[in-house]
């Protein structure tokens, strides 16, 4: 009797998950350049050949591990208010970047300076994907009439996330949930459509008393 086709793939998924988990464990304790494929394989309990079955090098293993972590920890909320959505998302992003896993981000940027191909892949797999998700929050705000539709969302993304990345890489200013909320609140003072408050309500609706 033949084995079900899915069983072999199931074992592969388990091995893949073990590799990503092992990679994150090592990267939280050592710089990327000091983590070897041998060390990942040993911690994951697999052969190095198994790693190379899915990834051509350890840097791409690290990238997939990082992407899995940020996807799990930084969700795209839908609170009914674009400002609140961006506040919650940026606060979660700051918390992630300040964690041992999040600090791998700066190592990817450094790696990309000497490896243009990796930097291009990093933009494709990480940056563009995250911006696409954030653009959804912006579009919901446009459709609800909270923000000015004439504003270029690409500029908004740069203004929203740029300060966080700059502070993360340069360290000239603090990073915290409070700072994230301040960034969003300050930006939305210029983005908010006239007649709407920070909760996405029209001022007339927010101030009108309920009728019995």
């Amino acid at each position: 009797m033949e084995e079900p086709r899915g069983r072999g793939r199931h074992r592969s998924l388990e091995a893949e998950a073990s590799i990503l988990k092992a990679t994150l464990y090592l990267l939280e304790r050592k710089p990327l350049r000091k983590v070897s494929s041998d060390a990942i394989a040993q911690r994951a309990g697999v052969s190095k050949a198994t790693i190379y079955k899915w990834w051509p090098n350890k840097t791409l293993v690290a990238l997939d591990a990082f992407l899995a972590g940020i996807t799990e920890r930084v969700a795209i909320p839908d609170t009914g208010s674009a400002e609140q959505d961006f506040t919650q998302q940026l606060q979660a992003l700051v918390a992630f970047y300040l964690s041992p896993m999040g600090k791998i981000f700066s190592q990817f940027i450094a790696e990309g300076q000497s490896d243009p191909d990796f930097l291009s892949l990093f933009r494709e797999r990480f940056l563009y994907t995250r911006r696409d998700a954030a653009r959804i929050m912006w579009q919901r705000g446009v459709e609800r009439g909270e923000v000015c539709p004439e504003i270029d969302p690409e500029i908004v993304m740069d203004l929203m996330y740029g300060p966080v990345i700059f502070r993360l890489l340069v360290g000239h200013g603090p990073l915290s949930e409070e700072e994230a909320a301040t960034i969003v609140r300050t930006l939305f003072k210029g983005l908010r459509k006239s007649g709407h408050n920070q909760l996405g309500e029209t001022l007339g609706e927010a101030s009108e008393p309920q009728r019995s």
Side-chain angles (χ1 to χ4, degrees):
M1 188 176 189
E2 293 184 0
E3 278 193 332
R5 278 183 158 187
R7 184 171 298 179
R9 180 57 184 160
H10 180 67
R11 287 199 296 265
S12 295
L13 289 174
E14 289 180 350
E16 186 175 345
S18 296
I19 291 167
L20 295 178
K21 183 177 179 181
T23 303
L24 283 178
Y25 177 89
L26 294 169
L27 288 173
E28 287 174 354
R29 290 157 177 79
K30 295 180 179 181
L32 176 60
R33 292 179 180 272
K34 292 188 177 180
V35 174
S36 67
S37 298
D38 286 324
I40 295 172
Q42 182 177 4
R43 175 141 196 103
V46 301
S47 68
K48 194 159 65 170
T50 300
I51 294 177
Y52 290 134
K53 186 187 302 183
W54 294 303
W55 298 278
N57 57 61
K58 67 169 186 181
T59 304
L60 296 186
V61 182
L63 178 58
D64 273 357
F66 176 84
L67 293 175
I70 196 169
T71 299
E72 178 182 353
R73 299 190 189 187
V74 185
I76 302 298
D78 186 1
T79 65
S81 161
E83 183 171 351
Q84 291 301 313
D85 287 347
F86 276 107
T87 298
Q88 290 187 14
Q89 200 260 354
L90 199 63
Q91 287 178 328
L93 188 64
V94 166
F96 176 78
Y97 281 149
L98 294 178
S99 71
M101 186 191 306
K103 291 178 181 178
I104 301 168
F105 175 84
S106 59
Q107 297 181 46
F108 287 144
I109 298 299
E111 189 73 19
Q113 304 315 297
S114 59
D115 187 345
D117 289 339
F118 173 75
L119 188 59
S120 177
L121 183 63
F122 180 75
R123 286 195 298 263
E124 187 70 32
R125 299 280 305 282
F126 168 76
L127 181 63
Y128 299 152
T129 300
R130 301 299 300 181
R131 286 173 77 96
D132 286 345
R135 204 177 290 111
I136 292 172
M137 296 190 292
W138 173 259
Q139 187 58 36
R140 288 197 302 244
V142 170
E143 292 170 357
R144 289 191 293 254
E146 301 170 40
V147 292
C148 299
E150 299 84 6
I151 299 175
D152 185 351
E154 298 308 311
I155 298 297
V156 174
M157 300 302 108
D158 287 346
L159 293 173
M160 188 79 65
Y161 300 103
V164 173
I165 301 304
F166 190 53
R167 291 188 177 201
L168 178 69
L169 297 179
V170 180
H172 70 290
L175 269 181
S176 65
E177 290 189 3
E178 292 76 13
E179 291 293 327
T182 299
I183 290 170
V184 177
R185 184 168 58 251
T186 301
L187 188 55
F188 264 79
K189 287 181 179 179
L191 298 175
R192 194 178 301 122
K193 193 172 182 180
S194 178
H196 281 74
N197 62 18
Q198 69 272 21
L199 298 178
E201 303 168 327
T202 63
L203 295 181
E205 290 173 347
S207 60
E208 184 180 355
Q210 293 184 350
R211 297 179 181 178
S212 57

